[in-house]
Amino acid sequence: MTAARTGLDGTHRWTQLTFVENDPLDFDLDEWADVMERTASTAVCISAGGYVAYYPTKVPLHHRSTYLGDRDLLGEVVDLARSRGMAVMARVDPHAVHRDVVEQRPDWIARTEDGELLEHWAMPGIYLTDAFGGYSWELTTEVLREIARDYDVDALFANRWQGHGPGYTATTAADYRAATGRPLPTSKDPAGGEAWATYRAWRRSRLSDLVAHWDRAVQEVAPAVRFVPNLGSFTAADLEPRVARAVPFLLVDHQARGDGEALWSAGRDAKRVRALHPGKPVGLITSVGPESHDFRWKDSVNAAVETTGWIVDGFVHGAFPWFTKFAAKIHDPRWIPAVERAFGLHRAVSGGLAGARPVAETLVWDADERAASQPVRDAASGVYQALVELGVPFEYVGPGSLSALSRPGVRLVVLPEVPTLEAAAADALRSFAEAGGALLLTGGGPDVAGRGPLVRELLGVDVVERRGGIVRNNYVQREPGGALQDGFGDARRVVGGTRLVRFGVPADAGGLPDGAGGVDVSWRFVPDHPDLPMEEVYPRSVATDPAVLGGAVGAGRADVVGFNVTELYWQALQADHLTLLDNLVRRGLDGGRAVEVRGPGVLDVATWAGDRSFTVLAANLTDPMMMRGQRRVVVPLDGVRVVVDLDRVAALAGAPVPRDVAGDGAGEGAGVRVEVLVGEDWARAEVTASAGRLEVALPPVEELAAVRLTW
């Protein structure tokens, strides 16, 4: 029996089975039916074709699995899933081809800069396709149409469809020259230069056209079927908004932690894609195995708590869960309970989030890190790490999402060592501050294209010098009577930066009381001095140059740190830098927050507002392996409390929130009903209410903490 067609609305929990070529020999459909049942999966993505076809394809040059025989693996899984009422997506991979395609259509094969056929880096004897040429636009199109016509699927999905460089075929070179008037860039062109910038813009347009072409092609033969492109962790920017708006949802292919990644990286992906494409559902593809790009253990499994934690952090920030297993044979089943646990938690909280939107008082400026320098990338990671440790929920804003500045309840925008801004972005940020918002600029703040330092436009303070090299042995000294002193005890001098900015501020400018106007200086740089011999380690003059300053901007304010505090926090994790950032964020948020999570541990917090609801979700990242995998255990947290300011919640939600807590009866009274997640079930919370604030006691927190307010 076939169930009614399901929607592709971003609420599903996905099983992806990626076949290997010999899977048809012993594929066990019943075993995978059990996996889908145990994990409460509501959708399935199944390998169909491209490099290898797992169904009896009739498209010429489409390689059918050598082991397929009279089986139809695609059809078997589609029938199983449809009988269970699951959404179904068929996967193709067009990035490589066998030798017969090379011999018959060499024009489809990517080339090196020298014109040689581009052999696959991992599998000798097969070759990479040119993503911009005929293989994608012709053969892959026919494969997609064949599957959409012959199988009861909801969508088609392409993996590794974006190519591996410019391709350098004659066809692509001609198309590129016709569009840009330029030859394709090569390794001789500077990576940050105009040649590669022009190519990236053309590539974005061409790939967006390809997605639109594939979507039209499948709908011509099956009007209800859609095409969904796979995307890397940063490549949501590869799709133009016109195309991103049209696809059912966006997928981020960041399957597990790579070397040196923190456990919050899963949630960061979700935030980035949502900032670029607001309102579009986002999914996070999680592999059950490790993602070491150097060692490629594709047929192994991660520690169970690592897999669970990755999925949970993703959906806390709005990425619906999706797991992928390479090869149908299950050699090591330890991943199944891990996915079962994560998917069960998602099932518990997702229903209450229907129609909810992510909200936050704090926004972080997000530059495109792919073209950024290492210090800029480290600064982006440092501010993320700091805000997670401080328990501050935040969202991203960037050049393509300036409308986020006008969202209800937004109070603070952090720019973590952003080097440059376009004029339109600078104007939007200034308007935000003048209307009462707060800006926090680190690294001295960016330069505005064609205009000079942003800090000059905001505070009338000029940048005299930027010391971009590594300054050793630098310190900052407290300004007597200045602000931003909490948490430093009796310390008069703390660690400073390694990249310093000198401002044109009078030496006698000091800490000014709130409302006094002008520029206030709270910390100054200790003058440079040697770090060896030890007898020479002392400053020769008094501290004069401002290191941390701020002032009013219209009805709001701007604070500026004159050194690379967020880059250094990622590199060195100095506690005093975290304390300084905490003080700056608290000042930007007027000394309070809509939500504060108090108690032990590190929790990655997100807040969601519905029509008559407000939900706090927090992934428990407390673990010695938080900063790099694999995680070993879940550390339960006792004594965690969530404090909610109802006035600030109302500002974020854009609607009034009752101030009283409802009675014991469900729906009784006109107040706020407060629930917490216990295991995978919701229960009434222990709440203390006072002066428009609710303090909620949580049960012991394992992978996930959740508080839900409804009214």
Side-chain angles (χ1 to χ4, degrees):
M1 177 180 178
T2 300
R5 184 175 297 278
T6 187
L8 294 173
D9 55 5
T11 63
H12 289 294
R13 291 175 292 277
W14 287 81
T15 289
Q16 179 184 347
L17 177 52
T18 305
F19 288 132
V20 296
E21 186 160 11
N22 71 345
D23 273 333
L25 292 175
D26 51 13
F27 174 58
D28 188 336
L29 184 64
D30 291 337
E31 182 177 45
W32 279 95
D34 180 64
V35 168
M36 295 174 199
E37 178 70 27
R38 288 182 59 182
T39 59
S41 294
T42 61
V44 63
C45 179
I46 186 70
S47 290
Y51 177 65
V52 174
Y54 297 98
Y55 68 98
T57 178
K58 297 180 179 63
V59 175
L61 296 180
H62 187 206
H63 177 81
R64 172 174 165 159
S65 169
T66 305
Y67 305 95
L68 189 63
D70 60 359
R71 294 194 75 172
D72 180 354
L73 266 61
L74 173 61
E76 291 177 30
V77 178
V78 168
D79 289 346
L80 169 68
R82 301 301 294 149
S83 70
R84 297 168 62 90
M86 300 173 73
V88 183
M89 186 149 57
R91 172 190 180 273
V92 300
D93 187 329
H95 88 282
V97 292
H98 296 77
R99 185 71 199 183
D100 60 330
V101 180
V102 180
E103 292 169 351
Q104 296 186 53
R105 294 302 303 264
D107 55 310
W108 288 352
I109 310 306
R111 307 271 173 162
T112 66
E113 293 178 11
D114 299 326
E116 299 296 321
L117 293 172
L118 195 55
E119 193 170 15
H120 201 285
W121 67 91
M123 178 68 181
I126 67 169
Y127 293 81
L128 299 178
T129 57
D130 175 14
F132 310 110
Y135 186 83
S136 291
W137 286 81
E138 299 169 33
L139 188 139
T140 302
T141 301
E142 289 309 306
V143 170
L144 293 170
R145 288 165 64 91
E146 180 180 57
I147 297 167
R149 182 180 59 246
D150 296 346
Y151 292 89
D152 184 17
V153 298
D154 297 288
L156 279 301
F157 167 75
N159 184 59
R160 290 190 178 271
W161 61 280
Q162 296 153 299
H164 297 81
Y168 298 111
T169 62
T171 301
T172 296
D175 289 346
Y176 185 72
R177 187 177 288 277
T180 67
R182 293 171 170 268
L184 287 166
T186 69
S187 57
K188 296 178 182 178
D189 294 302
E194 186 178 354
W196 282 104
T198 301
Y199 167 75
R200 286 192 294 270
W202 174 84
R203 177 181 183 269
R204 184 177 189 238
S205 176
R206 186 68 171 159
L207 291 178
S208 295
D209 288 344
L210 181 59
V211 170
H213 166 72
W214 281 338
D215 199 31
R216 287 193 303 270
V218 297
Q219 290 181 72
E220 286 172 0
V221 298
V225 177
R226 304 301 308 278
F227 174 77
V228 177
N230 192 14
L231 300 167
S233 57
F234 292 110
T235 54
D238 282 345
L239 287 188
E240 295 177 344
R242 62 182 174 89
V243 176
R245 284 193 295 267
V247 299
F249 53 75
L250 297 171
L251 285 169
V252 178
D253 192 0
H254 190 180
Q255 297 185 13
R257 281 200 278 180
D259 298 334
E261 286 188 298
L263 191 52
W264 44 252
S265 299
R268 176 162 70 171
D269 288 338
K271 291 185 186 184
R272 280 191 159 132
V273 178
R274 288 195 282 95
L276 284 167
H277 306 293
K280 183 62 61 178
V282 179
L284 176 70
I285 301 177
T286 299
S287 173
V288 302
E291 275 295 288
S292 172
H293 297 292
D294 291 330
F295 306 125
R296 299 288 291 176
W297 291 308
K298 303 308 295 181
D299 205 21
S300 184
V301 301
N302 261 328
V305 291
E306 175 74 19
T307 298
T308 301
W310 186 257
I311 295 172
V312 168
D313 194 66
F315 75 66
V316 159
H317 295 288
F320 60 80
W322 172 308
F323 82 87
T324 181
K325 167 69 171 66
F326 294 95
K329 187 171 291 185
I330 301 175
H331 303 286
D332 184 343
R334 289 177 294 173
W335 60 269
I336 299 175
V339 174
E340 186 177 358
R341 171 66 172 162
F343 278 26
L345 290 169
H346 177 263
R347 178 175 54 187
V349 300
S350 59
L353 294 177
R357 64 192 186 282
V359 293
E361 297 178 298
T362 301
L363 302 179
V364 172
W365 191 266
D366 191 29
D368 186 350
E369 290 188 32
R370 292 174 299 172
S373 65
Q374 189 63 48
V376 172
R377 293 197 297 271
D378 284 352
S381 296
V383 74
Y384 205 111
Q385 174 68 24
L387 292 176
V388 166
E389 287 192 62
L390 296 174
V392 176
F394 69 95
E395 293 291 322
Y396 278 125
V397 61
S401 55
L402 293 175
S403 61
L405 295 172
S406 60
R407 289 177 187 161
V410 174
R411 295 171 179 263
L412 171 66
V413 179
V414 184
L415 286 80
E417 281 120 76
V418 175
T420 58
L421 287 177
E422 293 299 318
D427 293 343
L429 289 166
R430 182 185 178 96
S431 296
F432 169 78
E434 289 175 339
L439 302 176
L440 171 55
L441 319 178
T442 68
D447 285 327
V448 182
R451 300 201 317 220
L454 179 61
V455 66
R456 182 171 63 201
E457 298 185 6
L458 296 173
L459 299 175
V461 173
D462 216 340
V463 172
V464 176
E465 180 186 16
R466 291 186 185 272
R467 300 175 65 180
I470 299 299
V471 178
R472 298 166 65 94
N473 199 38
N474 178 255
Y475 304 89
V476 294
Q477 180 174 300
R478 296 164 74 159
E479 181 71 8
L484 309 175
Q485 308 293 313
D486 291 347
F488 291 103
D490 295 330
R492 296 187 296 273
R493 178 187 300 177
V494 299
V495 172
T498 60
R499 307 179 200 278
L500 315 182
V501 174
R502 188 157 63 91
F503 300 106
V505 178
D508 58 354
L512 299 175
D514 290 343
V519 175
D520 55 275
V521 177
S522 52
W523 293 82
R524 296 186 185 275
F525 287 118
V526 173
D528 288 357
H529 53 282
D531 62 285
L532 278 176
M534 296 307 296
E535 292 81 1
E536 302 288 351
V537 184
Y538 63 93
R540 271 57 169 182
S541 58
V542 298
T544 57
D545 288 338
V548 182
L549 54 87
V553 181
R557 70 171 289 117
D559 286 297
V560 186
V561 180
F563 60 93
N564 55 330
V565 63
T566 54
E567 177 197 4
L568 268 182
Y569 192 64
W570 183 244
Q571 294 173 345
L573 292 172
Q574 291 294 301
D576 285 335
H577 287 161
L578 183 64
T579 300
L580 177 60
L581 288 168
D582 186 19
N583 287 335
L584 286 161
V585 168
R586 288 186 179 277
R587 180 151 80 173
L589 294 176
D590 296 326
R593 299 180 195 168
V595 172
E596 287 195 63
V597 179
R598 299 175 178 174
V602 179
L603 290 160
D604 187 2
V605 185
T607 47
W608 295 81
D611 182 36
R612 296 174 64 85
S613 69
F614 186 81
T615 303
V616 182
L617 298 179
N620 181 7
L621 307 187
T622 311
D623 190 272
M625 309 307 293
M626 171 190 166
M627 302 302 291
R628 61 190 301 257
Q630 292 181 25
R631 174 177 217 180
R632 306 292 195 266
V633 296
V634 172
V635 179
L637 303 178
D638 281 317
V640 177
R641 305 182 75 82
V642 176
V643 180
V644 179
D645 185 314
L646 293 178
D647 288 336
R648 288 179 177 247
V649 166
L652 288 171
V657 179
R659 288 177 163 271
D660 57 314
V661 180
D664 292 336
E668 183 178 313
V672 177
R673 179 183 177 89
V674 186
E675 299 168 289
V676 295
L677 192 68
V678 180
E680 296 182 11
D681 298 306
W682 290 95
R684 291 301 289 270
E686 176 189 328
V687 182
T688 303
S690 175
R693 292 163 66 87
L694 304 180
E695 185 167 332
V696 184
L698 299 187
V701 176
E702 296 186 354
E703 295 94 342
L704 177 68
V707 176
R708 183 168 66 195
L709 281 62
T710 53
W711 59 90

